[in-house]
Amino acid sequence: MPIRPTDNPEILSMRGLNLFHYSYSNCSMRIRLFLDEKGIPWNDHFIDLRAQKNLTEEYFAIHPQGLVPALVDDGVIVYESADILEYLEEKFPEPSFTPDTAEGRAELDKMLEFTRSGHFPVIKTWAYGRNNKPTKTPESMHKLEVLQKDNKWIVDFHKETMAEGGIAEEKILAAEKILKGMFADLDERLSRHEWILGDQMTLADIAWIPQYALFQRNNFPFEPYRNWIDYVARWQKRPAYVSAIGNHMPGSMELPY
């Protein structure tokens, strides 16, 4: 779990749960949703990605890749959304968002791992590719290159969005094929249960429902996945979904049909 040691006195002095997040970030949505579902108070640190407010030495002292979200819990830094979820679930185990069975926990681990390994090559590739807008200006790209000395792959990803034509269509289609397979699997699961892994809300639900908000905004073809859409509609009635996702991205309160 990425818990980052620090001797920064300003960070060490932070009391309570301090969440560094951005409105439209699906990864940030996960943490807001977890906290709001469990009724856990948190301190709001909004990082405006559109204004490139993450590209500062101060923020890189918290998150080594300059991404959101990041959590500072009484001076302890945790980053990467799946790891923050696991950290918070261990600290606040009630109500439980962890499956009761070993099989369920193994399934959960697989789903959380995809949010890590598939974030840039699949999720961001599809969303940014279909959005087809540069993610950086030349000035902010220079800042990124200076700050991201140890993460050249992040620099290369953003450079691709700035190239003529943006992210290559074959990469977007390959990502879409993987995502369609994932949503087909989720749709089948939801034909049998109220929640992704059964009759209990788990971290799998917290991790995956924000993808709807992100992808709906870029016109992902959700129409074939009727059970998934019914699931989204149920989520939209939950106060935590409204506070953590709907209020930050109004389109996430709409359905594709």
Side-chain angles (χ1 to χ4, degrees), residues 20-180:
F20 296 79
H21 68 109
Y22 177 63
S23 302
Y24 287 10
S25 158
N26 61 316
C27 297
S28 295
M29 292 176 199
R30 292 172 184 146
I31 312 308
R32 294 195 301 258
L33 185 59
F34 178 99
L35 294 168
D36 289 358
E37 274 289 342
K38 292 207 178 191
I40 300 166
W42 51 282
N43 301 320
D44 187 336
H45 299 266
F46 179 73
I47 303 295
D48 190 345
L49 298 188
R50 285 187 173 178
Q52 309 295 329
K53 295 300 184 182
N54 58 318
L55 299 182
T56 65
E57 291 184 1
E58 290 77 13
Y59 188 63
F60 268 73
I62 294 172
H63 196 306
Q65 297 167 350
L67 304 175
V68 291
L71 183 76
V72 178
D73 177 19
D74 286 340
V76 176
I77 301 171
V78 191
Y79 60 96
E80 302 291 354
S81 63
D83 296 286
I84 296 173
L85 287 178
E86 291 176 333
Y87 173 87
L88 289 171
E89 177 70 359
E90 183 175 338
K91 181 166 183 172
F92 302 101
E94 298 298 333
S96 176
F97 288 169
T98 302
D100 295 330
T101 66
E103 180 182 5
R105 291 190 291 274
E107 287 293 306
L108 174 60
D109 288 344
K110 289 179 186 177
M111 290 193 168
L112 291 180
E113 182 53 37
F114 181 82
T115 69
R116 298 180 181 98
S117 62
H119 184 60
F120 269 85
V122 179
I123 296 169
K124 274 185 174 287
T125 291
W126 188 87
Y128 285 28
R130 284 291 174 248
N131 192 35
N132 198 28
K133 294 178 181 177
T135 57
K136 296 285 180 285
T137 64
E139 179 185 7
S140 62
M141 178 55 75
H142 175 69
K143 288 182 180 178
L144 183 69
E145 289 179 304
V146 171
L147 292 164
Q148 288 283 17
K149 295 185 289 291
D150 298 325
N151 297 291
K152 186 176 181 296
W153 58 274
I154 294 179
V155 174
D156 291 343
F157 177 85
H158 288 288
K159 281 184 176 179
E160 189 170 8
T161 72
M162 298 175 68
E164 184 176 355
I167 296 174
E169 182 67 13
E170 57 265 30
K171 286 188 177 182
I172 300 170
L173 291 175
E176 185 170 306
K177 182 178 180 180
I178 293 170
L179 290 169
K180 285 180 175 178

Side-chain angles (χ1 to χ4, degrees), residues 166-198:
I167 296 174
E169 182 67 13
E170 57 265 30
K171 286 188 177 182
I172 300 170
L173 291 175
E176 185 170 306
K177 182 178 180 180
I178 293 170
L179 290 169
K180 285 180 175 178
M182 294 294 296
F183 283 111
D185 175 67
L186 294 172
D187 195 69
E188 191 280 326
R189 290 172 182 271
L190 291 165
S191 72
R192 295 180 281 116
H193 301 288
E194 181 179 3
W195 302 99
I196 290 174
L197 294 180

